[in-house]
Amino acid sequence: MKANQSNLLEIFYLGSFALFFAFNFIDRQVSNIFLMIAIFLCLISYKSLYQSMLVNIRLVQSIVIFSIFISLVGFYHNVPLHELDNYYRFLLLLPLLLISLNEQRTVLLIFVCAIAALMHAIYIYVFSEINISRYQGTSSTVITYGNMCATLFMISVYYIIFRGYKSYYNILTAIIFLFLFILTGTRGPIIGLILSLVYLGFTMYKNQKGRNNFLGPLIIVFLFLISVMTIPNTLGERIKKMTEINLVNPLENVNRSFRERIFYIVYSKELIQKHSLMGVGPHNLESIMSQSLKNKNINNIFARDHLHNDFLDISVKFGLISLVLLLFVYFHMLSRKNTEHRVLLNIIMLMFISSQMTQSQFAHHQAITFFIVLLY
């Protein structure tokens, strides 16, 4: 009887998890509901969850230490709880360590996500009266959706090339997510795509089975870049604009995105040097930056509450110790004993870290949740 109850509970939390993932590409508010249901059901299976945490005890310990430090710095700066919410995602989502999908189910789930995303895009472009220059899907920011699509494209490529799942629907999945990623016109994920494909090619070269096909990922990189740069599209046009970056005089950049990102890098270095131990507090960053811009008489930069780079962002807000503790969490995620899926885990981490280099993922609920769930 207990075995039947356990199996039924597993079906429910697997189903809730699958619906959470799929609804990320239909309605993110609905997806959050299914995420909470999945977490609740995992907590009910507390015995199995306890065993899962014991297997990943180093990861759990590093997350607890990271969360405690964030809490201490938050208390020191009197930070409102909503400013710390996303930094607790590692801890709050820990019950999802219990969930495990086999490869067939994973491939099927990603295919369902691709179809859902495609249907949503068709609806927006055909039936919506919104004038769209860059497609942002179900996300609040276009770069979040771009990172999600690029990551699932890369996972599909992994299953096609590395694991040999060359079914038509898996290839269709890769094509759909690549197409949607290009529609977003987001440049940042290209870093992760190139790094991941090169890593995949190198891994296949080391692997005796895949040595004959190791050029596959590199050919994809070449074809992708050539296609994007030669066929008229939003992404290609935005990449070409990168030749206009003025690194000598950052404030003279015509493009607002370049101008702000370069300024944030320089400004973050200044703040880290002054507040290296405890940071300035996440709720103080925007006001401090605004005052600094006013004092320097800079009128073409907008003060923001995040720096478009998670590693600089967390160092400025919580001090350099927080960055070290975050890297320990990543290290323990990658040092799991399960070697069968290590390549996929490394690819997801490459996509995650590269996305953090061009966007403050901790400032976006959907983005940070999406990546942590994938890694778990």
Side-chain angles (χ1 to χ4, degrees):
M1 186 66 177
K2 289 184 177 180
N4 290 334
Q5 289 178 341
S6 178
N7 291 335
L8 185 62
L9 194 58
E10 182 179 358
I11 291 172
F12 278 127
Y13 66 62
L14 285 174
S16 300
F17 171 79
L19 288 170
F20 151 73
F21 216 78
F23 268 94
N24 259 292
F25 299 92
I26 302 173
D27 187 322
R28 68 178 186 275
Q29 302 301 329
V30 176
S31 75
N32 289 335
I33 295 173
F34 284 115
L35 176 63
M36 289 186 287
I37 293 173
I39 292 173
F40 175 73
L41 293 174
C42 288
L43 288 171
I44 292 177
S45 304
Y46 62 92
K47 290 183 179 179
S48 299
L49 178 59
Y50 177 71
Q51 293 299 321
S52 180
M53 288 189 173
L54 285 180
V55 172
N56 299 281
I57 188 63
R58 293 293 179 87
L59 173 61
V60 174
Q61 289 171 340
S62 63
I63 289 171
V64 170
I65 293 171
F66 172 76
S67 301
I68 290 173
F69 184 80
I70 291 295
S71 300
L72 291 174
V73 175
F75 178 78
Y76 175 80
H77 288 294
N78 196 26
V79 179
L81 188 59
H82 69 87
E83 293 281 357
L84 303 176
D85 177 44
N86 284 342
Y87 295 95
Y88 291 138
R89 293 290 159 180
F90 289 108
L91 188 63
L92 295 174
L93 295 172
L94 266 179
L96 298 182
L97 282 174
L98 182 60
I99 293 177
S100 178
L101 295 177
N102 60 37
E103 290 189 329
Q104 289 82 3
R105 287 181 176 177
T106 303
V107 170
L108 178 60
L109 177 57
I110 296 175
F111 173 69
V112 171
C113 291
I115 297 301
L118 181 61
M119 292 299 102
H120 185 274
I122 291 173
Y123 172 79
I124 294 297
Y125 276 97
V126 175
F127 300 104
S128 173
E129 297 180 358
I130 302 173
N131 185 19
I132 303 172
S133 58
R134 294 175 61 194
Y135 179 61
Q136 68 180 57
T138 56
S139 302
S140 58
T141 59
V142 67
I143 194 168
T144 294
Y145 200 74
N147 278 310
M148 289 166 57
C149 290
T151 301
L152 292 187
F153 163 73
M154 192 59 232
I155 292 174
S156 297
V157 169
Y158 160 82
Y159 279 119
I160 293 168
I161 295 179
F162 193 79
R163 301 296 294 177
Y165 288 87
K166 298 178 181 178
S167 60
Y168 290 118
Y169 65 82
N170 202 20
I171 295 172
L172 180 61
T173 298
I175 293 172
I176 290 173
F177 279 121
L178 177 61
F179 174 69
L180 293 177
F181 162 61
I182 292 174
L183 284 182
T184 67
T186 308
R187 292 170 295 217
I190 293 177
I191 299 171
L193 288 175
I194 293 175
L195 290 175
S196 297
L197 287 167
V198 170
Y199 162 73
L200 189 58
F202 176 73
T203 304
M204 291 177 69
Y205 180 76
K206 290 199 307 179
N207 189 325
Q208 292 294 333
K209 291 183 180 179
R211 179 161 292 187
N212 295 330
N213 302 315
F214 81 97
L215 288 176
L218 304 182
I219 292 172
I220 291 177
V221 171
F222 178 77
L223 292 176
F224 169 70
L225 293 176
I226 293 297
S227 300
V228 166
M229 298 306 293
T230 55
I231 300 173
N233 64 87
T234 305
L235 178 58
E237 294 303 315
R238 298 189 76 244
I239 292 175
K240 292 173 185 176
K241 288 183 179 179
M242 295 180 70
T243 58
E244 303 171 2
I245 297 178
N246 186 342
L247 294 175
V248 179
N249 297 302
L251 296 179
E252 294 181 7
N253 278 291
V254 177
N255 185 283
R256 179 181 60 83
S257 178
F258 296 154
R259 186 170 63 244
E260 289 186 350
R261 288 173 186 276
I262 296 173
F263 172 80
Y264 293 156
I265 292 173
V266 175
Y267 184 65
S268 63
K269 180 181 178 182
E270 177 185 323
L271 288 180
I272 290 171
Q273 288 176 338
K274 292 180 180 178
H275 308 275
S276 59
L277 185 59
M278 301 295 281
V280 300
H283 62 314
N284 295 323
L285 177 59
E286 187 172 1
S287 59
I288 292 173
M289 188 189 301
S290 179
Q291 186 61 48
S292 177
L293 290 169
K294 184 177 180 181
N295 294 340
K296 296 174 182 177
N297 198 28
I298 299 175
N299 301 315
N300 59 351
I301 299 290
F302 290 98
R304 298 186 186 276
D305 61 356
H306 58 280
L307 301 170
H308 294 322
N309 182 307
D310 257 334
F311 305 111
L312 295 176
D313 207 47
I314 196 169
S315 301
V316 166
K317 292 176 178 178
F318 297 95
L320 289 173
I321 296 176
S322 66
L323 175 60
V324 174
L325 294 177
L326 177 65
L327 295 178
F328 267 114
V329 172
Y330 293 171
F331 171 77
H332 288 302
M333 280 183 169
L334 295 177
S335 60
R336 294 178 63 182
K337 295 179 181 179
N338 187 343
T339 57
E340 183 182 355
H341 303 297
R342 181 168 291 170
V343 174
L344 178 58
L345 189 63
N346 289 342
I347 287 173
I348 297 172
M349 185 60 80
L350 279 172
M351 294 300 297
F352 181 34
I353 289 177
S354 62
S355 75
Q356 290 185 290
M357 292 169 60
T358 57
Q359 179 70 2
S360 297
Q361 303 293 32
F362 282 109
H364 299 90
H365 160 77
Q366 186 184 19
I368 194 64
T369 301
F370 174 81
F371 278 106
I372 292 176
V373 167
L374 271 180
L375 289 164
Y376 281 178

